[in-house]
């Protein structure tokens, strides 16, 4: 599991269109937006694309000035699953 919290800064006149484009991007979810062009986005890995690749795609949206990674969490799902042999060791 790979979760990235990002702050996307766009030109104020493109806030609505950029927000709609981000919302339509698989693996990206808009959580908040302001009229001055700040958009809070969470990006996750998808079966087709890594979160880092999606973030690079978001840079290409018209009106995007910058995108800052503000939070990152990575967890290997194989490590979080209980081991089958653990219950047999008792």
């Amino acid at each position: 599991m790979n979760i990235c919290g990002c702050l996307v800064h766009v030109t104020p006149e493109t806030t609505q269109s950029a927000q709609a484009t981000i919302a339509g991007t698989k693996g990206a979810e808009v959580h908040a937006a302001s009229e001055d062009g700040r958009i809070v986005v969470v990006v996750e890995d998808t079966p087709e694309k890594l979160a880092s690749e999606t973030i690079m795609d978001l840079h290409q949206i018209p009106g995007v000035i910058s995108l800052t990674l503000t939070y990152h969490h990575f967890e290997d799902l194989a490590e979080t699953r209980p081991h089958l042999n653990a219950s047999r060791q008792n």
Side-chain angles (χ1 to χ4, degrees):
M1 176 182 3
N2 192 16
I3 300 171
C4 302
C6 303
L7 177 62
V8 182
H9 189 202
V10 301
T11 56
E13 60 272 7
T14 62
T15 300
Q16 289 183 348
S17 62
Q19 183 177 350
T21 302
I22 294 168
T25 302
K26 190 170 184 179
E29 185 177 343
V30 174
H31 284 272
S34 65
E35 292 179 10
D36 65 354
R38 293 175 290 156
I39 306 171
V40 177
V41 180
V42 170
V43 180
E44 298 180 352
D45 288 340
T46 67
E48 300 82 22
K49 199 177 271 193
L50 296 172
S52 59
E53 295 171 319
T54 301
I55 289 170
M56 293 307 293
D57 291 346
L58 297 181
H59 279 93
Q60 304 307 313
I61 294 172
V64 171
I65 299 168
S66 66
L67 186 150
T68 305
L69 179 66
T70 58
Y71 174 81
H72 182 239
H73 176 80
F74 176 79
E75 190 173 301
D76 186 355
L77 292 179
E79 292 178 8
T80 62
R81 295 184 186 143
H83 294 284
L84 294 176
N85 293 334
S87 61
R88 296 182 188 164
Q89 291 177 359
N90 292 333

